[in-house]
Amino acid sequence: KGYTNVDDLPQSSSSSSSSDKKEKKQRFRFVLPPDTTPALRTLLHVDEKTGKTHSSITYLDDAAPGDIIEVNPDGMMLVQDMAAFIEDNGGGAALIIDYGEEGSGGDTLRGFKKHKQVHPLSLPGWVDVTADVDFGALKMAVNSRKQQRTSSTSSSQTPDDTTNTSKEDPIVAFGPISHCHFLASMGAPDRVVRLIEQDDTTDEQAQELFDALERLMHPDQMGERYKVLAIGRKKDGIFHPPGF
């Protein structure tokens, strides 16, 4: 008889009895690297001579030894690409909505399988792996791009060029604000009330509308857990995007 899975192999009575007493060990685990990884050394801007760091992310410099900080370079590059796209195409905006905080919340990496939280490495490929979004890092990535662009433009200009500098405001990040705050500012409660008060709205539909709004805005559900960040320009250099 052939076997395609090691776990299906028959065991002797002695090994079976001993294995019953032990919990099944995970095949994968998190380990600490022996030294700073190349990716992190780049992100931290490690000085090869002194070993000191000067990060583009302020809170990394302020972190104390032993602090757990999650960093997502891909996420920061993504929002910078969004800002560049908006700038290169003459306008527009981006809206980012997800669960997270303004700043790193420590170790938030977790896995889910069949609506239950499990170890993220328990079944690679069969577990949904997620982590909280650090909206502070995303905002910093967009706004630092603005500072870098301003510095680059200033250094390359001659005195005769200063009068030709574009008066357009740079692309910046707004927020983050809570999901509840954003929806309230955009008039979601008023919209739901108007829908409920329509003559053709049934009691069942009215309850569904109310329950949906409660889930989106209640602080114990999505209202505070989810945050909203916008990327764009201030209207006339003064006004924030709607909802902010």
Side-chain angles (χ1 to χ4, degrees):
K1 181 179 180 180
Y3 298 93
T4 59
N5 194 317
V6 175
D7 294 332
D8 295 334
L9 292 173
Q11 300 180 1
S12 65
S13 57
S14 59
S15 62
S16 296
S17 59
S18 61
S19 63
D20 290 340
K21 298 178 182 179
K22 298 179 181 179
E23 294 184 1
K24 188 175 181 180
K25 293 183 178 180
Q26 292 178 184
R27 299 183 180 182
F28 300 92
R29 61 191 178 93
F30 292 111
V31 296
L32 288 174
D35 196 1
T36 309
T37 62
L40 190 55
R41 291 178 72 82
T42 301
L43 192 65
L44 291 175
H45 297 171
V46 177
D47 189 315
E48 298 295 341
K49 295 181 179 179
T50 64
K52 293 183 178 181
T53 64
H54 178 67
S55 172
S56 58
I57 307 177
T58 306
Y59 62 75
L60 288 181
D61 289 333
D62 298 334
D67 283 356
I68 298 176
I69 297 176
E70 293 177 338
V71 180
N72 185 355
D74 286 342
M76 291 185 285
M77 288 188 290
L78 174 61
V79 293
Q80 289 184 331
D81 288 344
M82 289 180 177
F85 182 86
I86 294 170
E87 192 169 54
D88 294 343
N89 287 273
L95 200 62
I96 301 171
I97 305 175
D98 211 331
Y99 47 84
E101 299 293 338
E102 185 172 6
S104 176
D107 183 6
T108 69
L109 183 68
R110 54 201 182 274
F112 288 90
K113 181 175 174 60
K114 296 182 178 179
H115 307 291
K116 293 183 179 180
Q117 188 168 336
V118 298
H119 193 281
L121 299 182
S122 56
L123 286 171
W126 295 91
V127 170
D128 292 328
V129 179
T130 186
D132 287 4
V133 174
D134 181 353
F135 283 94
L138 300 186
K139 182 175 183 177
M140 179 281 305
V142 174
N143 293 343
S144 65
R145 177 185 174 277
K146 173 193 67 173
Q147 295 167 358
Q148 293 168 1
R149 182 175 178 275
T150 301
S151 175
S152 174
T153 302
S154 299
S155 62
S156 62
Q157 283 181 337
T158 65
D160 294 335
D161 293 332
T162 55
T163 56
N164 297 324
T165 301
S166 174
K167 295 183 179 180
E168 283 190 339
D169 296 301
I171 305 299
V172 295
F174 302 89
I177 60 175
S178 69
H179 201 235
C180 177
H181 181 181
F182 177 74
L183 291 176
S185 299
M186 295 298 289
D190 294 335
R191 172 62 174 164
V192 169
V193 169
R194 288 197 296 270
L195 290 173
I196 290 176
E197 291 178 344
Q198 289 180 355
D199 295 336
D200 57 348
T201 301
T202 66
D203 291 343
E204 182 179 356
Q205 291 172 330
Q207 186 62 49
E208 289 176 352
L209 287 167
F210 176 82
D211 291 343
L213 182 66
E214 182 180 42
R215 182 171 184 271
L216 291 170
M217 299 190 65
H218 196 284
D220 293 337
Q221 298 191 52
M222 295 175 66
E224 292 293 337
R225 188 75 177 88
Y226 278 64
K227 302 293 187 295
V228 184
L229 183 79
I231 302 173
R233 284 193 176 96
K234 288 184 179 180
K235 185 178 180 182
D236 299 326
I238 301 174
F239 303 106
H240 289 64
F244 290 80

